[in-house]
Amino acid sequence: MQKLENIALLRMRNNEHFQFMTDVDQLIVTNQASELGIDSLYPAFKTALTAEDAAMRVELGSMKSKSIEELDKLRDKTWNAISLRVKATILSPLAAEAESAEFVSRIIDLYGDLRAKSYNEESAGLSNLVADLQLAANAEHVNKVGIQRWVSELKNQNDQFQTVFNERNAELAGRESGDVRAVRLQIDPVYLQMAEIVNATLVMGVAKPAAISFVGQLNEKIKYYKTTLASRTGRGKTEEKPAE
């Protein structure tokens, strides 16, 4: 028995998420919400999707949005370089270097992988991490690992990101809210409820032909998005792997 497959909605980028929900909407319209047994939930889904569309338009309407994305990728890359350098130095044959790398690693671990955080959380986390690494008491360890210049550069990149991000927010202050993340938190639960209902009709053997068709069509799209997410995860792991 075929059921709707799970999909990691939280891992989707905003454009991917909006496109996926748009695909879902088109399939619902094609197969009719009443035939799928989700007619009571569909209006809420449609309202949330309309709000996501508006938020996306506001976000994409800023000339600084692309610059923000590029700056975020740059600071992510520098954070990753520092993390890899520390991990590699832990394997150093020189005891003093290895010990310092262990010390620095514990500081980095306190904050976790900041790349997975929201913009504001990552900015705050990087500010605190850099401040810790630049403490006079930690300078000897940072120097032994050889990342003092990289840490300084990470601070510059994070400061630049926050400056442009704040400028973009000021630019959008007079417009309708474009918080895509907040809208996603509204539409995701509705989608999951609809998926549960459709799957329940399949399990109980009362699904209409339209529901069976809907599941088959949507699963094909879900496979595509899963492949995209898996490919991105694979690239991320490759970047994190220290050179041998």
Side-chain angles (χ1 to χ4, degrees), residues 213-224:
S213 175
F214 173 77
V215 169
Q217 293 170 321
L218 185 52
N219 275 346
E220 285 300 313
K221 295 186 178 295
I222 288 175
K223 288 178 183 177
Y224 165 77

Side-chain angles (χ1 to χ4, degrees), residues 87-215:
K87 290 177 181 178
T89 308
I90 289 175
L91 303 177
S92 171
L94 303 179
E97 288 185 356
E99 290 173 4
S100 288
E102 289 279 6
F103 182 89
V104 174
S105 179
R106 286 193 292 271
I107 296 176
I108 294 176
D109 289 345
L110 287 175
Y111 297 95
D113 189 344
L114 293 169
R115 297 171 300 175
K117 305 290 186 179
S118 67
Y119 282 160
N120 285 329
E121 290 175 318
E122 181 176 358
S123 295
L126 288 175
S127 293
N128 292 331
L129 172 61
V130 167
D132 284 349
L133 293 175
Q134 291 186 328
L135 287 173
N138 299 329
E140 179 182 356
H141 299 295
V142 171
N143 289 338
K144 284 183 179 178
V145 179
I147 57 171
Q148 63 273 23
R149 293 175 62 186
W150 294 6
V151 172
S152 296
E153 184 60 26
L154 179 59
K155 181 183 185 304
N156 293 336
Q157 292 170 357
N158 193 46
D159 288 345
Q160 186 179 3
F161 173 89
Q162 291 184 77
T163 296
V164 177
F165 185 75
N166 290 334
E167 289 175 350
R168 197 278 299 270
N169 286 346
E171 176 186 313
L172 298 179
R175 306 187 197 178
E176 183 180 348
S177 173
D179 192 344
V180 179
R181 188 181 302 274
V183 179
R184 287 177 58 168
L185 293 177
Q186 295 176 16
I187 195 171
D188 286 357
V190 182
Y191 166 77
L192 293 174
Q193 288 180 59
M194 294 193 302
E196 287 180 5
I197 290 175
V198 172
N199 281 339
T201 64
L202 292 165
V203 171
M204 294 184 293
V206 296
K208 295 182 179 180
I212 297 174
S213 175
F214 173 77
V215 169

Side-chain angles (χ1 to χ4, degrees), residues 33-53:
S34 58
E35 292 295 296
L36 303 177
I38 57 173
D39 43 314
S40 62
L41 288 171
Y42 180 63
F45 175 83
K46 188 65 175 179
T47 297
L49 181 59
T50 300
E52 184 173 4
D53 182 24

